[in-house]
Amino acid sequence: MKIEISNKLLHEVEADIKVVFVVDKNFEHKWVEDKEELEFLGFKGESEEALLLPHKKTIYVGCENLEPDEIRLACAKALTQTKKTKAKTLKIGTYSHECPGTNIKAMAEAFGLADYSFELYKSKKEPTSLESITICTDDYNGVGVSMETATKAISVGTIIAESTNFAKDLVNTIPFEMNSLKLEEVAKSLESIENVTCKAYGKEFLEEQGMGAFLAVNRASHIPPRLLHVSYKPKNATKRVVYVGKGLTYDTGGLSLKPGDYMVSMKADMSGAAAVLAILQGAAKLQLPYEIHAIVGATENAIGPEAYKPDDVLVAKNGKTIEVRNTDAEGRLVLADCLCYAQEQKPDLLIDMATLTGACVVALGEYTTGIMGHSESLKNELHVTSKKSGELTGILPFNRYLKKLLKSSIADMSNISSSRYGGAITAGLFLSNFIEDEYKDKWLHLDIAGPAYVEKDWGYNQCGGTGAGVRMNLYWLIEQSKNEQNCEK
Ligand code: BES
Ligand code: ZN
Ligand code: ZN
């Protein structure tokens, strides 16, 4: 499906279907031509409500307001409705925003995100007729947006959607295929983008580096571990941003085995890895002026005679010792070593992304990412930016008392808290033990356990992998680099 731009007026453009947004519940918009019919058919104009008038070849979609995330939801709704018809072409006007280009970017993003489907394992693919969408710069006011701004907005929105969809594909692929070696292939394939290089390290390297925590998690797997390091280094980069992703290609729980119904969906335990690779891909395609690193700790958490055990004591790369009390708290072990490695890159900003705890899902619900860290300003900045991207985040605060719950009588720390409460935060505090003082205020931990994989459609997300964290980070990087064409601040 192509997205095109036209500077003609909306009524001058030929298309099988026209999309019209309704904010005013009395339908008092100059662009609503079918007020009486809408009233007669009981259309309320509520958010995410859509009505197709076939004889008018028009889809009306309700919106709370004309801010970007309502526009995304409405575009997604319109696209899903249109794909049920035989329409080949769709057209939509531009609803003016104080920052020109903002809504067009949101439209391109939403159409790209909503058009995604994962049919790799279906013997019959869902047929679709829709070939192209035309976004008109016409804003019904005769003002509109310049072609240059609109073209740039569509290109940025499309890259953001494609990167998110790339992460979805990695997460949705079955664990039999998407193992550490396949992730290595995927990481290497990013080298086709300008200024991107990839290094893949195996067991020997991890041993040399003293990554005893990462190695222990891999011990029962018949597939070797991989530490993947993808770098995007544009000339004259002004900042170095290092991302670390949890790449558990399957999490059985290990010997602290998960019950059957909790194990289903644990193919998505590499969503952090998928997200950091996708962010790097997006940043490189957008040619952002930052050096970006995506570091992935890839392995399965399996069971077998070699498996690491509760009661084992592991030594991480920074020399700290960890008592294993639960082998299902494995992500933090892999991340501990990867975070030590990541700091050797001397980041200006260090962000880890992980489906780390069920407790985060309990705390915030399944749609929201938990943001943790020591810097109030960094946490707030990302929280505010995530709203613009349409992703939901909540800040979970560290405190000294929760930190004490990680004490161990036999090692420097335990891999689980001694309390059943505050599990997302204690996991974040565990990771903090592997962050040097120098980097404490440059580090954020994002727990994406809730939104990374949801077993139902929601908003413009499909059932399954969602690419959680990709959009908010790309928005943040774009914003920081001030490269944006529109004036979002
Ligand atoms: N991968 C899971 C966390 C998870 C749970 C992700 C649900 C997505 C959805 C993680 O490795 C895990 O099992 N964590 C344990 C920690 C516990 C043993 C302290 C958990 O959350 O139960
Ligand atoms: Zn686990
Ligand atoms: Zn896990």
Side-chain angles (χ1 to χ4, degrees):
M1 188 203 65
K2 295 195 301 278
I3 299 183
E4 287 163 353
I5 183 91
S6 165
N7 58 0
K8 288 186 187 160
L9 293 175
L10 191 61
H11 70 262
E12 294 169 350
V13 173
E14 282 290 319
D16 296 337
I17 300 260
K18 172 170 82 170
V19 178
V20 176
F21 293 160
V22 178
V23 181
D24 187 286
K25 306 284 182 272
N26 297 315
F27 312 132
E28 298 295 341
H29 298 293
K30 59 182 131 189
W31 56 80
V32 175
E33 293 164 4
D34 306 292
K35 180 172 154 65
E36 271 135 54
E37 222 159 340
L38 293 179
E39 280 168 354
F40 177 75
L41 291 168
F43 180 73
K44 302 262 181 327
E46 278 164 6
S47 193
E48 297 188 66
E49 182 189 2
L51 180 70
L52 169 64
L53 297 182
H55 55 294
K56 295 283 174 67
K57 294 185 168 183
T58 302
I59 291 180
Y60 283 97
V61 192
C63 291
E64 272 308 304
N65 52 52
L66 291 172
E67 289 304 310
D69 210 44
E70 279 293 316
I71 298 244
R72 286 188 198 98
L73 287 167
C75 287
K77 194 80 199 170
L79 187 78
T80 330
Q81 285 274 3
T82 305
K83 283 173 95 177
K84 289 180 191 158
T85 72
K86 293 268 184 290
K88 287 194 176 144
T89 52
L90 182 99
K91 66 176 178 180
I92 185 167
T94 304
Y95 298 83
S96 52
H97 189 280
E98 51 182 322
C99 309
T102 302
N103 283 348
I104 298 188
K105 184 171 82 173
M107 284 178 185
E109 238 176 78
F111 286 129
L113 291 170
D115 192 40
Y116 178 85
S117 63
F118 187 74
E119 297 182 309
L120 190 59
Y121 308 113
K122 296 267 190 197
S123 53
K124 282 201 188 87
K125 318 285 175 209
E126 208 55 56
T128 134
S129 310
L130 191 65
E131 288 166 5
S132 75
I133 295 177
T134 304
I135 301 179
C136 297
T137 55
D138 178 13
D139 67 352
Y140 306 98
N141 287 320
V143 184
V145 176
S146 77
M147 280 296 270
E148 194 195 348
T149 303
T151 309
K152 172 83 185 167
I154 289 182
S155 139
V156 173
T158 304
I159 290 174
I160 292 174
E162 282 172 356
S163 300
T164 310
N165 290 342
F166 166 74
K168 292 180 195 173
D169 270 346
L170 302 186
V171 173
N172 287 331
T173 304
I174 56 167
F176 181 65
E177 284 182 57
M178 191 47 69
N179 57 28
S180 52
L181 302 178
K182 180 71 188 177
L183 267 180
E184 174 182 348
E185 259 176 52
V186 171
K188 288 210 166 130
S189 74
L190 296 176
E191 286 189 321
S192 62
I193 310 170
E194 202 183 349
N195 296 325
V196 176
T197 53
C198 171
K199 285 190 210 134
Y201 300 105
K203 204 168 166 182
E204 274 161 37
F205 177 83
L206 303 193
E207 280 163 358
E208 275 161 33
Q209 294 283 312
M211 297 186 167
F214 187 169
L215 282 163
V217 175
N218 174 256
R219 233 151 53 193
S221 174
H222 69 290
I223 305 158
R226 284 289 182 270
L227 189 149
L228 307 172
H229 183 167
V230 190
S231 317
Y232 161 62
K233 292 187 181 174
K235 284 191 192 79
N236 309 321
T238 53
K239 198 167 169 173
R240 186 175 298 130
V241 187
V242 177
Y243 287 95
V244 177
K246 170 175 172 182
L248 264 288
T249 58
Y250 205 72
D251 181 10
T252 64
L255 290 178
S256 314
L257 194 64
K258 284 184 187 292
D261 48 350
Y262 282 73
M263 204 186 292
V264 178
S265 84
M266 281 302 138
K267 66 172 183 180
D269 216 19
M270 38 61 74
S271 297
V276 301
L277 293 174
I279 292 165
L280 186 135
Q281 187 204 62
K285 286 188 176 172
L286 290 166
Q287 300 182 321
L288 297 184
Y290 292 158
E291 196 176 301
I292 313 277
H293 296 252
I295 293 162
V296 166
T299 176
E300 310 179 309
N301 185 21
I303 49 169
E306 306 273 341
Y308 79 125
K309 301 175 182 70
D311 289 334
D312 272 342
V313 172
L314 315 174
V315 187
K317 177 168 158 62
N318 67 351
K320 291 196 181 176
T321 58
I322 307 162
E323 176 191 1
V324 177
R325 294 184 70 87
N326 191 315
T327 61
D328 197 10
E330 83 301 334
R332 61 194 78 184
L333 299 174
V334 173
L335 286 178
D337 280 335
C338 291
L339 281 166
C340 293
Y341 172 87
Q343 287 160 91
E344 291 176 351
Q345 311 305 312
K346 304 196 184 315
D348 296 305
L349 190 54
L350 174 62
I351 302 169
D352 75 74
M353 302 178 68
T355 45
L356 206 62
T357 64
C360 193
V361 195
V362 173
L364 296 172
E366 56 198 324
Y367 308 109
T368 304
T369 294
I371 302 182
M372 285 159 260
H374 296 284
S375 159
E376 296 303 318
S377 58
L378 270 192
K379 289 186 283 186
N380 289 332
E381 245 180 67
L382 181 60
H383 179 56
V384 169
T385 307
S386 68
K387 287 186 191 166
K388 295 181 195 164
S389 76
E391 284 201 70
L392 302 173
T393 54
I395 297 174
L396 298 174
F398 287 162
N399 70 58
R400 67 175 71 210
Y401 308 108
L402 285 173
K403 188 175 170 190
K404 290 182 188 163
L405 302 176
L406 289 164
K407 283 197 173 135
S408 158
S409 59
I410 189 173
D412 297 342
M413 72 196 87
S414 162
N415 81 327
I416 55 164
S417 160
S418 55
S419 159
R420 63 166 78 221
Y421 304 116
I425 300 177
T426 47
L429 285 164
F430 176 91
L431 297 179
S432 175
N433 282 311
F434 301 89
I435 305 292
E436 302 296 326
D437 286 346
E438 178 185 359
Y439 294 107
K440 283 263 197 283
D441 281 334
K442 297 177 174 172
W443 167 65
L444 284 182
H445 160 56
L446 306 182
D447 193 332
I448 55 172
Y453 192 89
V454 180
E455 287 193 283
K456 54 187 172 281
D457 297 350
W458 52 293
Y460 34 81
N461 302 285
Q462 297 77 16
C463 170
T466 64
V470 176
R471 288 182 297 130
M472 67 168 111
N473 276 287
L474 285 176
Y475 264 71
W476 200 26
L477 291 171
I478 293 171
E479 205 163 74
Q480 289 176 64
S481 70
K482 297 188 177 72
N483 260 359
E484 257 182 325
Q485 285 298 295
N486 62 53
C487 56
E488 278 180 36
K489 292 221 172 64

